[in-house]
Amino acid sequence: GAGVSQSPSNKVTEKGKDVELRCDPISGHTALYWYRQSLGQGLEFLIYFQGNSAPDKSGLPSDRFSAERTGGSVSTLTIQRTQQEDSAVYLCASSLPSGGGVETQYFGPGTRLLVL
Amino acid sequence: AQSVAQPEDQVNVAEGNPLTVKCTYSVSGNPYLFWYVQYPNRGLQFLLKYITGDNLVKGSYGFEAEFNKSQTSFHLKKPSALVSDSALYFCAVRDPLTGGGNKLTFGTGTQLKVEL
């Protein structure tokens, strides 16, 4: 079946502009995660959605970052007033519902963001 | 807090030789451990995981990993390396005793290079 898809695959923007990154999870996966992969920081957790529960936003680096998940499926990560340090690969993952964290997270190909 | 260490930035091995990619972890309770592989310009692909049970876990592409609780390690191994195994490998951990969702904490990654 189809895996996790993300769009766009690449995004170049100017400092100060807003960007939106999209993630389509695997069908039937109610858990959705955003991570950021950057040279200096490695792979960092950003935010986690599970069904209708309040999202875990503990990894968002600043209030310029926000995410939403509409209809329990597609998610959008928004970065406002982008800064050069936001340049990274943004990875989305999804998994089956898991109260204990045993479910495997499956990753999309990522969106490579470059802020000039 | 949960953490993962991958002590080697790069591992070089000749094709046909056994390979080992090291991972150690720190958690409060019994860990859930994962290995992922990343090929250039691709997302992370799941290889294997340890949740409970047999300490030796077998995964995709002939890889296996051994959970060693006394040494807090989860090294990735393969009996005979292939050039196509050359990629970036990530170890990840989740501590089921911590609250706040199912986020994974990743190591910094180990670049595996298999040469002819």
Side-chain angles (χ1 to χ4, degrees):
Chain A
V4 178
S5 61
Q6 293 186 246
S7 61
S9 54
N10 292 280
K11 176 72 176 178
V12 180
T13 189
E14 294 179 345
K15 177 181 173 181
K17 295 286 181 68
D18 298 351
V19 295
E20 286 189 351
L21 313 179
R22 178 189 168 103
C23 172
D24 281 273
I26 293 171
S27 178
H29 282 191
T30 59
L32 187 147
Y33 314 76
W34 284 97
Y35 293 85
R36 179 170 69 175
Q37 184 177 19
S38 54
L39 283 177
Q41 302 295 326
L43 264 161
E44 313 168 79
F45 165 79
L46 295 177
I47 188 169
Y48 158 65
F49 296 90
Q50 172 59 66
N52 295 321
S53 302
D56 175 359
K57 304 179 183 179
S58 61
L60 294 179
S62 76
D63 59 8
R64 296 186 295 105
F65 288 72
S66 63
E68 63 177 21
R69 190 176 186 192
T70 54
S73 181
V74 171
S75 178
T76 302
L77 177 69
T78 301
I79 309 173
Q80 296 178 309
R81 306 180 303 281
T82 53
Q83 303 295 312
Q84 289 180 330
E85 61 262 30
D86 299 335
S87 296
V89 178
Y90 289 82
L91 294 167
C92 176
S94 71
S95 76
L96 291 169
S98 172
V102 303
E103 296 297 337
T104 299
Q105 296 180 25
Y106 294 92
F107 284 79
T111 293
R112 189 175 300 272
L113 175 66
L114 178 61
V115 182
L116 300 176
Chain B
Q2 57 197 37
S3 65
V4 176
Q6 292 182 244
E8 302 156 317
D9 291 336
Q10 180 159 324
V11 170
N12 297 322
V13 64
E15 188 174 53
N17 283 1
L19 69 86
T20 299
V21 182
K22 295 180 180 177
C23 172
T24 59
Y25 65 88
S26 176
V27 298
S28 302
N30 294 316
Y32 299 155
L33 294 156
F34 302 78
W35 274 103
Y36 286 84
V37 60
Q38 186 177 36
Y39 296 97
N41 300 314
R42 303 280 295 277
L44 274 67
Q45 295 181 32
F46 169 73
L47 282 178
L48 50 81
K49 67 182 178 183
Y50 171 81
I51 303 300
T52 188
D54 193 347
N55 289 343
L56 183 64
V57 179
K58 294 186 182 294
S60 306
Y61 313 119
F63 284 93
E64 58 188 30
E66 185 166 13
F67 171 61
N68 188 317
K69 187 172 184 178
S70 63
Q71 297 185 5
T72 62
S73 67
F74 190 56
H75 301 331
L76 181 70
K77 299 182 179 183
K78 187 174 182 180
S80 179
L82 298 173
V83 172
S84 57
D85 293 330
S86 298
L88 185 59
Y89 290 80
F90 289 96
C91 182
V93 69
R94 185 183 181 274
D95 181 354
L97 288 185
T98 61
N102 299 327
K103 61 187 177 188
L104 294 174
T105 297
F106 285 87
T108 52
T110 298
Q111 185 70 47
L112 174 66
K113 187 173 183 181
V114 182
E115 300 168 310
L116 290 170

Short mmCIF file of all heavy atoms in Angstrom, two decimals, chain A residues 33 35 37 43 45 48 56 58 91 98 100-109 112, chain B residues 32 34 36 38 41-44 46 49 51 88 90 94 96 100-104 106:
data_model
loop_
_atom_site.label_atom_id
_atom_site.label_comp_id
_atom_site.label_asym_id
_atom_site.label_seq_id
_atom_site.Cartn_x
_atom_site.Cartn_y
_atom_site.Cartn_z
N TYR A 33 3.47 12.04 13.50
CA TYR A 33 4.59 12.70 14.15
C TYR A 33 5.31 13.60 13.14
O TYR A 33 5.43 13.25 11.97
CB TYR A 33 5.61 11.68 14.65
CG TYR A 33 5.03 10.50 15.40
CD1 TYR A 33 4.41 9.46 14.71
CD2 TYR A 33 5.13 10.41 16.78
CE1 TYR A 33 3.88 8.36 15.39
CE2 TYR A 33 4.62 9.32 17.46
CZ TYR A 33 3.99 8.31 16.76
OH TYR A 33 3.47 7.23 17.44
N TYR A 35 9.17 15.35 12.76
CA TYR A 35 10.54 15.45 13.24
C TYR A 35 11.30 16.40 12.32
O TYR A 35 10.91 16.63 11.17
CB TYR A 35 11.25 14.08 13.21
CG TYR A 35 10.72 13.05 14.17
CD1 TYR A 35 9.64 12.24 13.81
CD2 TYR A 35 11.31 12.85 15.40
CE1 TYR A 35 9.15 11.27 14.68
CE2 TYR A 35 10.84 11.88 16.28
CZ TYR A 35 9.76 11.10 15.90
OH TYR A 35 9.29 10.13 16.77
N GLN A 37 15.27 17.11 10.85
CA GLN A 37 16.63 16.58 10.72
C GLN A 37 17.53 17.69 10.20
O GLN A 37 17.38 18.16 9.08
CB GLN A 37 16.66 15.38 9.77
CG GLN A 37 18.01 14.71 9.67
CD GLN A 37 17.98 13.48 8.77
OE1 GLN A 37 17.08 13.30 7.95
NE2 GLN A 37 18.95 12.62 8.91
N LEU A 43 18.29 14.38 14.54
CA LEU A 43 16.84 14.17 14.39
C LEU A 43 16.13 14.60 15.67
O LEU A 43 16.33 14.02 16.73
CB LEU A 43 16.54 12.70 14.13
CG LEU A 43 16.36 12.29 12.70
CD1 LEU A 43 16.53 10.79 12.55
CD2 LEU A 43 14.97 12.70 12.23
N PHE A 45 12.41 15.48 17.64
CA PHE A 45 10.95 15.41 17.69
C PHE A 45 10.37 16.80 17.74
O PHE A 45 10.89 17.67 18.46
CB PHE A 45 10.53 14.62 18.93
CG PHE A 45 9.10 14.76 19.30
CD1 PHE A 45 8.12 14.05 18.63
CD2 PHE A 45 8.71 15.61 20.32
CE1 PHE A 45 6.79 14.18 18.97
CE2 PHE A 45 7.39 15.76 20.67
CZ PHE A 45 6.43 15.03 20.00
N TYR A 48 3.39 15.59 18.04
CA TYR A 48 2.76 14.28 17.91
C TYR A 48 1.25 14.43 18.05
O TYR A 48 0.79 15.09 18.97
CB TYR A 48 3.33 13.37 19.00
CG TYR A 48 2.51 12.16 19.39
CD1 TYR A 48 2.27 11.14 18.50
CD2 TYR A 48 2.01 12.04 20.69
CE1 TYR A 48 1.56 10.01 18.87
CE2 TYR A 48 1.28 10.92 21.08
CZ TYR A 48 1.08 9.91 20.16
OH TYR A 48 0.37 8.79 20.54
N ASP A 56 0.85 16.56 21.41
CA ASP A 56 2.05 16.78 22.23
C ASP A 56 2.95 17.74 21.46
O ASP A 56 3.61 17.35 20.51
CB ASP A 56 2.74 15.45 22.48
CG ASP A 56 4.07 15.59 23.22
OD1 ASP A 56 4.48 16.74 23.54
OD2 ASP A 56 4.71 14.56 23.48
N SER A 58 5.54 19.39 22.69
CA SER A 58 6.70 19.66 23.53
C SER A 58 8.00 19.87 22.76
O SER A 58 8.95 20.45 23.29
CB SER A 58 6.88 18.54 24.55
OG SER A 58 7.11 17.31 23.89
N LEU A 91 10.63 15.75 8.54
CA LEU A 91 10.16 14.38 8.32
C LEU A 91 8.84 14.16 9.05
O LEU A 91 8.69 14.55 10.21
CB LEU A 91 11.19 13.37 8.82
CG LEU A 91 12.51 13.33 8.06
CD1 LEU A 91 13.55 12.53 8.83
CD2 LEU A 91 12.32 12.72 6.68
N SER A 98 -1.25 3.56 19.42
CA SER A 98 -0.51 2.82 20.42
C SER A 98 -0.50 3.58 21.72
O SER A 98 -0.02 4.70 21.77
CB SER A 98 0.93 2.60 19.96
OG SER A 98 1.71 2.05 21.00
N GLY A 100 1.14 2.43 24.25
CA GLY A 100 2.38 2.08 24.93
C GLY A 100 3.64 2.37 24.16
O GLY A 100 4.74 2.14 24.65
N GLY A 101 3.50 2.88 22.96
CA GLY A 101 4.69 3.24 22.19
C GLY A 101 5.36 2.09 21.50
O GLY A 101 6.51 2.20 21.07
N VAL A 102 4.68 0.94 21.36
CA VAL A 102 5.33 -0.21 20.74
C VAL A 102 5.19 -0.21 19.23
O VAL A 102 5.89 -0.95 18.55
CB VAL A 102 4.75 -1.53 21.29
CG1 VAL A 102 4.90 -1.59 22.80
CG2 VAL A 102 3.29 -1.70 20.91
N GLU A 103 4.29 0.61 18.71
CA GLU A 103 4.05 0.58 17.27
C GLU A 103 5.20 1.23 16.50
O GLU A 103 5.79 2.22 16.93
CB GLU A 103 2.74 1.30 16.95
CG GLU A 103 1.51 0.62 17.52
CD GLU A 103 1.29 -0.77 16.98
OE1 GLU A 103 1.79 -1.06 15.87
OE2 GLU A 103 0.62 -1.55 17.66
N THR A 104 5.48 0.68 15.34
CA THR A 104 6.54 1.20 14.49
C THR A 104 6.08 2.47 13.82
O THR A 104 4.96 2.55 13.31
CB THR A 104 6.91 0.16 13.43
OG1 THR A 104 7.38 -1.02 14.09
CG2 THR A 104 7.98 0.70 12.50
N GLN A 105 6.94 3.45 13.80
CA GLN A 105 6.69 4.68 13.07
C GLN A 105 7.26 4.55 11.66
O GLN A 105 8.42 4.17 11.50
CB GLN A 105 7.32 5.88 13.79
CG GLN A 105 6.71 6.12 15.17
CD GLN A 105 7.33 7.29 15.89
OE1 GLN A 105 7.88 8.20 15.29
NE2 GLN A 105 7.23 7.27 17.21
N TYR A 106 6.45 4.86 10.67
CA TYR A 106 6.87 4.80 9.27
C TYR A 106 7.02 6.22 8.75
O TYR A 106 6.10 7.03 8.88
CB TYR A 106 5.86 3.99 8.45
CG TYR A 106 5.82 2.54 8.86
CD1 TYR A 106 4.92 2.09 9.82
CD2 TYR A 106 6.73 1.63 8.32
CE1 TYR A 106 4.91 0.77 10.22
CE2 TYR A 106 6.71 0.29 8.72
CZ TYR A 106 5.81 -0.13 9.67
OH TYR A 106 5.81 -1.45 10.07
N PHE A 107 8.16 6.46 8.14
CA PHE A 107 8.52 7.82 7.76
C PHE A 107 8.26 8.11 6.29
O PHE A 107 8.41 7.23 5.43
CB PHE A 107 10.00 8.08 8.05
CG PHE A 107 10.28 8.29 9.51
CD1 PHE A 107 10.37 7.21 10.38
CD2 PHE A 107 10.46 9.57 10.02
CE1 PHE A 107 10.62 7.41 11.73
CE2 PHE A 107 10.72 9.78 11.36
CZ PHE A 107 10.80 8.70 12.23
N GLY A 108 7.93 9.36 6.03
CA GLY A 108 7.84 9.84 4.66
C GLY A 108 9.22 10.25 4.16
O GLY A 108 10.20 10.21 4.90
N PRO A 109 9.29 10.70 2.89
CA PRO A 109 10.59 11.05 2.30
C PRO A 109 11.13 12.39 2.78
O PRO A 109 12.30 12.69 2.55
CB PRO A 109 10.27 11.10 0.80
CG PRO A 109 8.82 11.43 0.74
CD PRO A 109 8.20 10.77 1.93
N ARG A 112 12.67 19.06 2.19
CA ARG A 112 13.94 19.77 2.41
C ARG A 112 13.66 21.26 2.31
O ARG A 112 13.32 21.76 1.24
CB ARG A 112 14.97 19.32 1.38
CG ARG A 112 16.38 19.82 1.64
CD ARG A 112 17.35 19.20 0.62
NE ARG A 112 17.35 17.74 0.70
CZ ARG A 112 18.12 17.04 1.51
NH1 ARG A 112 18.99 17.65 2.30
NH2 ARG A 112 18.07 15.72 1.51
N TYR B 32 12.12 0.54 24.69
CA TYR B 32 11.74 0.08 23.36
C TYR B 32 12.81 0.63 22.41
O TYR B 32 13.07 1.84 22.41
CB TYR B 32 10.36 0.59 22.96
CG TYR B 32 9.24 0.14 23.85
CD1 TYR B 32 8.07 0.89 23.94
CD2 TYR B 32 9.32 -1.03 24.60
CE1 TYR B 32 7.01 0.48 24.75
CE2 TYR B 32 8.28 -1.44 25.41
CZ TYR B 32 7.13 -0.68 25.49
OH TYR B 32 6.10 -1.07 26.29
N PHE B 34 14.78 0.80 18.49
CA PHE B 34 14.50 0.73 17.06
C PHE B 34 15.78 1.03 16.28
O PHE B 34 16.62 1.81 16.72
CB PHE B 34 13.45 1.78 16.66
CG PHE B 34 12.13 1.65 17.38
CD1 PHE B 34 11.98 2.10 18.68
CD2 PHE B 34 11.04 1.08 16.74
CE1 PHE B 34 10.77 1.98 19.35
CE2 PHE B 34 9.82 0.96 17.39
CZ PHE B 34 9.69 1.41 18.70
N TYR B 36 16.71 2.33 12.27
CA TYR B 36 16.25 2.82 10.99
C TYR B 36 17.46 3.03 10.09
O TYR B 36 18.57 3.30 10.57
CB TYR B 36 15.51 4.15 11.13
CG TYR B 36 14.13 4.06 11.73
CD1 TYR B 36 13.94 4.05 13.10
CD2 TYR B 36 13.00 4.01 10.90
CE1 TYR B 36 12.66 3.98 13.64
CE2 TYR B 36 11.72 3.94 11.43
CZ TYR B 36 11.56 3.92 12.80
OH TYR B 36 10.30 3.84 13.33
N GLN B 38 18.74 5.23 6.49
CA GLN B 38 18.40 6.33 5.59
C GLN B 38 19.36 6.34 4.41
O GLN B 38 20.57 6.49 4.59
CB GLN B 38 18.47 7.66 6.33
CG GLN B 38 17.99 8.84 5.50
CD GLN B 38 17.99 10.14 6.29
OE1 GLN B 38 18.85 10.38 7.11
NE2 GLN B 38 16.99 10.98 6.05
N ASN B 41 18.91 11.28 0.32
CA ASN B 41 17.71 12.00 -0.13
C ASN B 41 16.43 11.16 0.04
O ASN B 41 15.47 11.34 -0.72
CB ASN B 41 17.86 12.43 -1.59
CG ASN B 41 19.03 13.36 -1.77
OD1 ASN B 41 19.23 14.30 -1.00
ND2 ASN B 41 19.85 13.10 -2.77
N ARG B 42 16.45 10.29 1.01
CA ARG B 42 15.26 9.48 1.29
C ARG B 42 14.89 9.64 2.76
O ARG B 42 15.67 10.11 3.58
CB ARG B 42 15.56 8.01 1.00
CG ARG B 42 16.03 7.71 -0.41
CD ARG B 42 14.89 7.64 -1.38
NE ARG B 42 13.99 6.54 -1.11
CZ ARG B 42 14.18 5.29 -1.52
NH1 ARG B 42 15.26 4.99 -2.21
NH2 ARG B 42 13.31 4.34 -1.24
N GLY B 43 13.68 9.22 3.09
CA GLY B 43 13.27 9.20 4.48
C GLY B 43 13.87 8.01 5.20
O GLY B 43 14.65 7.25 4.64
N LEU B 44 13.48 7.85 6.44
CA LEU B 44 13.99 6.74 7.23
C LEU B 44 13.19 5.48 6.95
O LEU B 44 11.96 5.51 6.89
CB LEU B 44 13.89 7.07 8.72
CG LEU B 44 15.04 7.84 9.35
CD1 LEU B 44 15.10 9.25 8.79
CD2 LEU B 44 14.91 7.88 10.85
N PHE B 46 12.37 1.64 8.33
CA PHE B 46 12.41 0.81 9.51
C PHE B 46 13.15 -0.50 9.23
O PHE B 46 12.92 -1.14 8.20
CB PHE B 46 10.98 0.51 9.97
CG PHE B 46 10.86 -0.54 11.02
CD1 PHE B 46 11.24 -0.27 12.32
CD2 PHE B 46 10.36 -1.80 10.72
CE1 PHE B 46 11.13 -1.24 13.30
CE2 PHE B 46 10.24 -2.77 11.68
CZ PHE B 46 10.63 -2.49 12.98
N LYS B 49 12.99 -3.77 15.54
CA LYS B 49 12.74 -3.19 16.86
C LYS B 49 12.78 -4.26 17.93
O LYS B 49 12.52 -5.44 17.65
CB LYS B 49 11.39 -2.46 16.89
CG LYS B 49 10.17 -3.38 16.75
CD LYS B 49 8.88 -2.55 16.74
CE LYS B 49 7.65 -3.43 16.56
NZ LYS B 49 6.40 -2.62 16.47
N ILE B 51 11.00 -4.89 21.63
CA ILE B 51 10.02 -4.45 22.61
C ILE B 51 10.15 -5.29 23.87
O ILE B 51 10.30 -4.78 24.98
CB ILE B 51 8.59 -4.53 22.05
CG1 ILE B 51 8.46 -3.70 20.76
CG2 ILE B 51 7.57 -4.08 23.10
CD1 ILE B 51 8.76 -2.23 20.94
N LEU B 88 23.09 5.67 6.02
CA LEU B 88 23.15 6.27 7.35
C LEU B 88 22.18 5.51 8.26
O LEU B 88 21.01 5.35 7.92
CB LEU B 88 22.77 7.75 7.26
CG LEU B 88 22.87 8.61 8.52
CD1 LEU B 88 24.29 8.62 9.06
CD2 LEU B 88 22.41 10.04 8.18
N PHE B 90 20.36 4.91 12.01
CA PHE B 90 19.94 5.57 13.24
C PHE B 90 19.37 4.57 14.23
O PHE B 90 18.52 3.75 13.88
CB PHE B 90 18.86 6.62 12.96
CG PHE B 90 19.34 7.84 12.25
CD1 PHE B 90 19.24 7.94 10.87
CD2 PHE B 90 19.91 8.89 12.95
CE1 PHE B 90 19.67 9.07 10.20
CE2 PHE B 90 20.35 10.03 12.29
CZ PHE B 90 20.24 10.11 10.92
N ARG B 94 12.57 4.58 22.96
CA ARG B 94 11.45 5.16 23.65
C ARG B 94 11.38 4.53 25.02
O ARG B 94 11.49 3.32 25.16
CB ARG B 94 10.13 4.95 22.93
CG ARG B 94 9.02 5.69 23.67
CD ARG B 94 7.66 5.52 23.12
NE ARG B 94 6.72 6.30 23.92
CZ ARG B 94 6.14 5.87 25.04
NH1 ARG B 94 6.37 4.64 25.48
NH2 ARG B 94 5.32 6.64 25.72
N PRO B 96 9.04 3.68 27.90
CA PRO B 96 7.61 3.59 28.17
C PRO B 96 7.20 4.16 29.53
O PRO B 96 6.01 4.37 29.76
CB PRO B 96 7.31 2.10 28.10
CG PRO B 96 8.63 1.43 28.32
CD PRO B 96 9.66 2.36 27.77
N GLY B 100 3.92 11.70 27.87
CA GLY B 100 4.10 12.61 26.74
C GLY B 100 4.16 11.97 25.39
O GLY B 100 4.91 12.41 24.53
N GLY B 101 3.39 10.95 25.15
CA GLY B 101 3.29 10.43 23.79
C GLY B 101 4.35 9.42 23.46
O GLY B 101 5.08 8.93 24.33
N ASN B 102 4.44 9.10 22.22
CA ASN B 102 5.28 8.01 21.75
C ASN B 102 6.50 8.49 20.99
O ASN B 102 7.01 7.80 20.14
CB ASN B 102 4.45 7.08 20.87
CG ASN B 102 3.30 6.48 21.63
OD1 ASN B 102 3.39 6.22 22.83
ND2 ASN B 102 2.19 6.26 20.94
N LYS B 103 6.97 9.67 21.32
CA LYS B 103 8.09 10.20 20.53
C LYS B 103 9.33 9.35 20.73
O LYS B 103 9.59 8.80 21.80
CB LYS B 103 8.38 11.64 20.94
CG LYS B 103 8.77 11.80 22.40
CD LYS B 103 8.88 13.26 22.75
CE LYS B 103 9.21 13.45 24.21
NZ LYS B 103 9.13 14.88 24.62
N LEU B 104 10.09 9.27 19.65
CA LEU B 104 11.36 8.57 19.67
C LEU B 104 12.50 9.55 19.87
O LEU B 104 12.47 10.66 19.36
CB LEU B 104 11.58 7.83 18.35
CG LEU B 104 10.62 6.67 18.04
CD1 LEU B 104 10.87 6.15 16.63
CD2 LEU B 104 10.77 5.57 19.05
N PHE B 106 16.38 9.87 18.94
CA PHE B 106 17.32 9.27 18.00
C PHE B 106 18.76 9.54 18.38
O PHE B 106 19.09 10.58 18.96
CB PHE B 106 17.09 9.84 16.59
CG PHE B 106 15.85 9.30 15.92
CD1 PHE B 106 14.63 9.91 16.13
CD2 PHE B 106 15.92 8.20 15.08
CE1 PHE B 106 13.48 9.41 15.52
CE2 PHE B 106 14.79 7.71 14.46
CZ PHE B 106 13.57 8.32 14.68
#
